[in-house]
Structure formats: C-alpha cells, structure tokens
Amino acid sequence: MQQSGWRKSVALAALLFAINITLNLPLFQAGELPFRDSIEGGYASMARFIAAHPNPWGWNPTQYCGLPTQFTYLPLLHYTVAAAHAVVPFLEIEHVYRLVTVIFTLLGPSVLFLFVLTFTGSRRWAFAMALTYTLFSPVYGLISQIDHDRGLVQLPWRLQVLAKYGEGPHNATLMLLPLTVLALWRAAVNGGFPSVFAAALLLAVTALTNWVGALALAWLVLVLMLIAPLHSKETGFRIAPILTASAIGYGLSCFWLTPSFVQTIIFNWPKDAFNYQLRVQQMSFMAGFAAGALVVWLLCRLLCRQPYLCFLLLGFFGFAWVVLGYYWFGTDTIPESRRYALEFEMFLLLLLFEALRQILRTGKGYLMYPALAIVVLCYSTGVRQVWNYATSDPLRWRPTAKEFTTEHEAASWLASQHTQGRVYASGGLRFRLNSWFEVAQVGGTFETGLRNRVPLDFAYQIRTGIGSGPGRDGEDAIQQLTALGVEYVIVHGPKSDEYYRDFARPEKFKGLLEEAWSQRDDIVYRLPFTSLAHLVRREELPPRAPVAGGLQYLAAYSAALRDPGRPRMQSTWQGPSRLRLSGPVPEAMLISVAVNFDEGWAASQDGRPIPSAASQLGFLLLHARPSPDSTFVLEYRGTVEQRLMALLSLLTWLACVYFLWKRRPPLSARISD
C-alpha cells in the first residue's frame, strides 16, 4: 500500500477510536459506575497488589487465605496497569485499571478495521464494518436473555459486559484476537523468522491476558490449520509456521504458564463455571460441534475459493455453536459457553460483511437484492439500540464517588482497625476491598487459580448455611471463621445498599458475636481473634476436609483454637512473603498456621530448618521442636518448577533475540533504504 494509502487508513482508524471515546466518556471517569454487580474492583485489586509487590514468584496473603502471586491471575494486564500507575501515580490505581481496560476495549473497532482492510483491500468496507461494530450489537436481536440485560443505556454488548460485569481482561483479548490472527496468517504465507516471532509474541500476549480469550484464540489457530490445505497452492499457506509460532509462544510465556498452573486452571475451571458437568448432553453437543465443523470444512473445500471467507465461516460456526447452544438450548458445550458471545458477535459481523461484499461483486441481481434486503432487515432491528446509544445522556451512567458507597464505608472502617487476622467479606465488597486497601480476606476474585479450595467451600457454607445442622447455622459458621483466621465478618442485611446481600440468614450471628460497627443494614461482627498460628495436638486435627456435610470433624480443632488455657503463638507478617511466629512449643504439639500450604514455603525454628506439611484443611502444619520459647520464620521462596520454567522462558527469549539479530538486513541495504 502506498504511503498516502497508509495515512488514510491510519486516519480512519483514529477516527473510529475518537468516535468510541466520544460515545463512552463516562468510562474514563473515576468512581463507581451504577452497575453494582461488577467485579471490576476484583481485577483492580490484583493490579494494586502487583504494583506494590511486583515479584511474580512471591506470595499474595490478601485473598483466599493466601496463594502464590502466580496463581492470582494471568499477569499481563495487571503488570501493564502497575506500569501505567508508576507513570501517573497521582491517579488511584482502580482508576488506572479502568482507563487501561477501556482503552483496550475502545481500540477494538480500529483494530478490526485494519484487519478487514488487510484481507479485503477496501477501506470503505472495512470502515463500514468497524463502524457497525462500534454502534450495533446483533446479539440483542438474536438472544432474548442478552436483550433483557440492556441496562441503563443501550451499550453494545462488548461495552455492556465491561461496564456492568467488569469483563476488562476478556475485552483486552478481544482486541488482540484480530491482530494475532493477522500475524499468524502472514507467518503462514510469508514464512521467515521475524513473521513467526511476531505471531508467537502475540500468541503469548493473548494467553497471558485472559483464559477465555486464549481458548477462543486456540479455536482460531485450529481453524487456520484446517483451512491451510484448502488454499496452499494459491496462497502458499503452510501449517509449519503456525505450529512453530505456537511452540515459541509457549516458550515465551511458560515462566507463568507452568504445567502446574495450567493443570490447576484446567481442573478448577469446570467447578467455577457453575459446576459444569461433562454429561451425555454436553458430550452430544461436543460431538455435534465436531460434526458441524467437518460439514462446514467440506463445504468450504467444495464451494469456497476465498481463504478469508472460509476462515470466517469456520470461525463463526465454532462460536455460534457454543453460544447459541447455551442461550437457545440451555446446554454448556464447554464451561462458560455464554462468555463467547463477544467473539460470536464479532465474527457474525465479519462474516455478514464479507458475504455481502462477495455477493455485490458478482453483479447478479438475484443474489444482490435479497442480500441487501436481509441487511436492511438486520439493521432495522437495531435502529432503536443504536439511536439510544448514540443519543443517551452520559449523566445517566456517570460514576459516583466511591466514598458515597456502602462498600467503601465498610472497607474504610475495616482498614482503620489494622486487623491482624482476616476479614470475611461477601458480595461486592469482597471484589472491591483490596482495590482500595491491602486487608487480608477470605475471599477474592479469581477462584480458578486456587489449589486449596477449603476456604472457598467454607465461605459458601458460611453464607448459605448449607451443611449445618438444625439450629447450628451460627455456631458452625463461627467454627469455620475461627479456623480461617477471621477477625471481622461483615453481614449485609436485606435493606443494605450492597448489591448481592448473599447471606441466607443475616441474623445468624446476633447474640453470638460482638457487633463492632453498623450502618444502615450493614453490620461488622468481631471474633475473639488471637493469632494465625495455634498449638494443636495431632488428634485434634480434622481427619478429613470438614466440608460437604463433615463439619462435625471441625469441632475438636475449633475448640483447640479457642482453648484459653493453651499457650499462645504470636504471628506477624513481615512483607507479603514472610511470616514470623513466636512462642513456646510444648511436647507433642504441632503448629497449625491458617495460611495455605504450598511447596514454595520454607520454615525455620530459631534459624534451623523444620519440616512443614499440609493439614486436611490445606493449611501449613509445622513439625516444631519442643522449646520454652522459639522464633519461627516462614518464607515463601517459590518452587523448583517456577525456576526451571523461568529459565526455559529466558532461553527462548534469548534465542529469539539472537535469530532476529542474525536475520537483520545488511547495513548497506538499510542505508540505501
């Protein structure tokens, strides 16, 4: 493309970005949006922790009774936010997080414009498609459940899930998908290490941003390999560069995507996707997916000579199958099928525009006029949505200052207590708490990274009362809270301004715990907390994880933790990855620490190493030597696997830099250019 052509293309891409910004100015403002069920604060809390403690192989004690920083979430977006916050430290980090995710999201149409332009060579078609994507959400007309979720303003669905539900990481990968596909396409056609490396880098970036987007990209990579044999002669399209880029991409990202991390995500994902079960119905839909993909592939082989159109057809089929299977037939083909509505909508519009372009190029009236009629019909169904979106009053969804929210009032009080134990927060407060204050809590946001799920199971039972005997709801919950090292628990009653209010019996603690703070229908109860570490006898430990109806196994352990005649241990955090304990250790006693066990912990007693293990609660259990007084240091140093995978990633990066350097143009060629 000539230089003037590139200037026009860049100008149109910039215009699209400017239009998106103008239509969504409230998203750039600080404060709390009126959508109170958003988990945006949960993601912002991860960025806040990373900004304060950037060590990727450290420990995060603020959520879920502690977990490795690596397992908190995928890193790229949050390290980007941390870096941006370092540039603009005068902005609060939750505001920086929103700005970063909003910019990624609003860049989506501009990236899609360049994507379509590359394959069609037409700025008009590319701009029309991207402008439609900016304004119009066909999923509202196709899926009634989504149509009922339009909310305060008629935002396109990709913006609705960002503003209302906090889907920032997913929207970031949605912007990256077209770029990554384009890079893979060029690598497969042109070859050469620079093209392969660019594709590998984008594969790594996407995989390190969001799991849902990474799985969507995996499907598109498979689609590219499926259509490669159909068009290899006319395009020179080859599979080998795609496979090479995929292998290099994993090498670039394996410092975080270690085998244990990937395994944890894979096995936890179905549990966190509304307890997804692979049953006959799911397997039937999976078989239908495979059969349908084969049929589409055969049709492309027989009838379609356009590689770009074949790619869109097959890519669209995959997303349509899982999304419509969920919304129309109530079946999750894969966990969280509904979340791929963003990719489904993007590929639907890409396919419709490309099909219309191809039809109009034929010049055949019997094809053109019906196609145009279908387009007019489709657009007419969205006129109201587009009009309401383009003309809506921004004041309707302008953010309000966080200080006026129930969640911030409660969080501020909790932070002012300088708690030594944990806070049990539920609902929207558990998402927002750590985005404002570094207060340790039982909950968090990203449960799929948990290796010990006992805190999560306890938290669910405490809210719902499930598993407790008749009349023992409050007593059982206190036993569980004590085992979790909780110092304060906050309950939101039915009249609270908190959105979720997810305690089944908010009155369960009345008369059992001290009321430390209350406002309107929000009450903070104080538990008699002493330490995160306690002396216990082996027979007092639960013989198995006391969940799923096994709370009777917790009674002896809970009584031991509350025994006033037992020597006390002191616990103090000396940074996020170092915990200091002190106190006497009588004969035949163990030290139970309400911190999740991990192979990366190293324990010492008075400077000498001591063994540690995992209790049935999944917490640290120290085998200490008897002593009238000792000092213990627990330090999280990471695992051997983390170091090995980091070394492999470093070697991959160095090898890529070396090959790029070797393949640089000669100095004479660069001077002549």
Side-chain angles (χ1 to χ4, degrees), residues 171-203:
N171 266 289
T173 54
L174 193 69
M175 183 274 291
L176 292 168
L177 282 181
L179 287 177
T180 310
V181 169
L182 186 57
L184 285 165
W185 193 292
R186 287 184 169 174
V189 172
N190 301 330
F193 186 76
S195 296
V196 171
F197 174 73
L201 183 60
L202 282 167
L203 283 168

Side-chain angles (χ1 to χ4, degrees), residues 587-601:
E587 189 76 33
M589 282 212 167
L590 305 170
I591 302 176
S592 177
V593 187
V595 174
N596 285 329
F597 172 81
D598 188 89
E599 294 83 357
W601 281 111

Side-chain angles (χ1 to χ4, degrees), residues 47 79 124 130 169 208 210 248 279 356 369 393 395 411 486 492 517 541 553 561 577 627 632 670:
Y79 276 92
R124 292 181 180 179
L208 291 172
N210 177 252
I248 295 174
R279 295 176 176 167
L356 181 61
Y369 297 125
D393 183 2
L395 295 179
V486 170
H492 306 286
W517 178 86
L541 293 168
Y553 296 106
L561 267 55
S577 301
S627 171
F632 301 84
R670 283 179 280 161

Side-chain angles (χ1 to χ4, degrees), residues 455-496:
L456 184 64
D457 294 333
F458 274 9
Y460 176 74
Q461 294 179 41
I462 290 167
R463 293 196 310 270
T464 63
I466 293 176
S468 295
R472 287 198 50 83
D473 190 1
E475 291 83 354
D476 286 343
I478 291 172
Q479 287 187 6
Q480 292 170 304
L481 291 166
T482 301
L484 294 171
V486 170
E487 187 173 357
Y488 294 99
V489 55
I490 179 167
V491 177
H492 306 286
K495 298 179 181 178
S496 170

Side-chain angles (χ1 to χ4, degrees), residues 65 422 442 452 454-455 458 462 475-487 527 529 531-534 542 546 551 553-562 592-596 615 617-620:
C65 298
R422 295 192 177 93
V442 173
N452 178 25
V454 169
F458 274 9
I462 290 167
E475 291 83 354
D476 286 343
I478 291 172
Q479 287 187 6
Q480 292 170 304
L481 291 166
T482 301
L484 294 171
V486 170
E487 187 173 357
L527 280 82
F529 174 84
S531 174
L532 289 175
H534 296 273
L551 292 181
Y553 296 106
L554 193 63
Y557 179 73
S558 178
L561 267 55
R562 292 182 287 179
S592 177
V593 187
V595 174
N596 285 329
S615 70
L617 292 172
F619 291 158
L620 279 163

Side-chain angles (χ1 to χ4, degrees), residues 26 35 82 94 130 170 185 200 251 347 359 406 467 508 523 544 587 607 667:
F35 310 104
E94 64 268 24
H170 191 181
W185 193 292
F347 269 77
I359 288 172
T406 294
K508 68 167 65 178
I523 303 174
R544 69 176 181 86
E587 189 76 33
L667 180 60

